[in-house]
Amino acid sequence: MGVLNVTPDSFSDGGLFFDPAAAVAQGERLAAEGADIIDIGGESTRPFSGPVAAEEEIRRVVPVIAELAQRVSAPISIDTTKSLVARRALEAGAAMVNDISALRCDPAVAAVAAEFGAPLFLMHMQGEPRTMQVAPAYDDLVGEIRDFLQAAAAAAEAQGVLHAMLIADPGIGFGKTPAHNLQLIRHLAEFAALDLPILVGPSRKAFIRRLVTKPGENGIAPDAPVVAIGTQAAVAAAILNGAHIVRVHDVEMMARVARMTDAIVRRQKT
């Protein structure tokens, strides 16, 4: 899954693709580099970010989706927590809905996904983007997140979404400390009990930047080469531990990492 943020303030690429033409060109580039899904979002969910009105979110993403859907064969996912945005995006040519709130912000997202027969991604987040990194804590990290995702899946199914159309995301970096993120990647296999495909999105996250920083270094940029190396390691570890989909910024590089790691997991010759 390739990331395409049509925002002025995302943590890694904010402003780079805020112009619709630049966003469409980047979407075509992601598809050419091997993205199986292109995830388009119009609202930054970086730590401490604030919400964006549905009308503004629609203004940002719908023209890009409508144009890109005519240019690429890869399905487009709309990254939103709002049912109105999801509806407009699906009408414009999106094929999937990625809800980082797992229906907590707007339960009607599930009904919209069901109406369109669209796959629905449900992600765990402790709190909301504005507050999620203020002392996140768990008594049973994996168990609590697994139970949350199971309840979210049940709520989606109650609104008509087929179980086969659901994907679970434990929410790396969303209300988690660096230690939490590492523990989740190590224990991804425990989410197999959900009987759902697992999406993991470690790309360029702060815990990677912290871990690859040498003593005395400050302010490593999210798109720095050393961060890409850390992301490669996280992507490989996630796949080895059971991830089915990885959400990344550097599609060409990470697609190669995924292909190699998948060959190891499946013991296939390449």
Side-chain angles (χ1 to χ4, degrees):
M1 176 185 274
V3 179
L4 179 51
N5 291 313
V6 189
T7 64
D9 56 347
S10 291
F11 82 92
S12 175
D13 53 4
L16 292 179
F17 312 115
F18 195 45
D19 174 75
V24 170
Q26 175 65 4
E28 290 184 292
R29 184 177 303 113
L30 294 174
E33 290 177 349
D36 297 302
I37 304 167
I38 298 174
D39 193 42
I40 298 179
E43 178 180 63
S44 173
T45 53
R46 76 190 192 287
F48 310 109
S49 62
V52 172
E55 293 76 12
E56 172 61 14
E57 205 174 326
I58 290 168
R59 187 192 69 78
R60 293 177 181 182
V61 301
V62 165
V64 176
I65 291 170
E67 181 66 22
L68 196 58
Q70 302 300 314
R71 294 176 177 238
V72 301
S73 59
I76 294 169
S77 169
I78 175 62
D79 182 351
T80 188
T81 61
K82 305 177 184 71
S83 59
L84 179 59
V85 178
R87 177 175 295 278
R88 296 289 183 265
L90 291 166
E91 290 172 345
M96 305 175 173
V97 180
N98 183 10
D99 182 359
I100 67 161
S101 79
L103 310 179
R104 287 187 301 129
C105 290
D106 185 352
V109 166
V112 172
E115 179 184 339
F116 284 81
L120 176 60
F121 295 83
L122 300 169
M123 192 195 80
H124 174 272
M125 171 172 51
Q126 189 176 90
E128 59 184 23
R130 187 179 295 175
T131 62
M132 65 187 181
Q133 290 307 114
V134 179
Y138 301 84
D139 293 322
D140 175 9
L141 176 72
V142 174
E144 288 175 37
I145 294 174
R146 186 177 57 232
D147 290 348
F148 171 93
L149 292 171
Q150 187 169 43
E157 290 182 65
Q159 294 195 59
V161 181
L162 298 177
H163 185 81
M165 303 296 277
L166 294 171
I167 303 94
D169 180 351
I172 297 293
F174 285 83
K176 283 91 177 175
T177 65
H180 290 149
N181 294 323
L182 297 174
Q183 185 179 349
L184 282 174
I185 292 172
R186 285 198 307 272
H187 293 277
L188 280 178
E190 295 184 36
F191 291 96
L194 296 171
D195 189 32
L196 295 171
I198 302 300
L199 167 69
V200 178
S203 185
R204 300 181 178 178
K205 294 283 175 71
F207 81 101
I208 293 176
R209 302 200 301 275
R210 180 179 299 184
L211 285 167
V212 300
T213 298
K214 292 181 179 180
E217 287 183 329
N218 292 302
I220 292 181
D223 60 352
V226 292
V227 179
I229 293 170
T231 298
Q232 289 176 45
V235 164
I239 295 170
L240 287 169
N241 286 309
H244 303 92
I245 306 169
V246 288
R247 185 178 184 273
V248 300
H249 297 81
D250 303 305
V251 166
E252 184 171 18
M253 182 185 302
M254 300 308 161
R256 296 172 189 268
V257 172
R259 189 177 306 117
M260 183 67 219
T261 311
D262 198 47
I264 294 170
V265 170
R266 297 174 181 272
R267 296 182 176 89
Q268 292 176 340
K269 294 182 179 179
T270 58

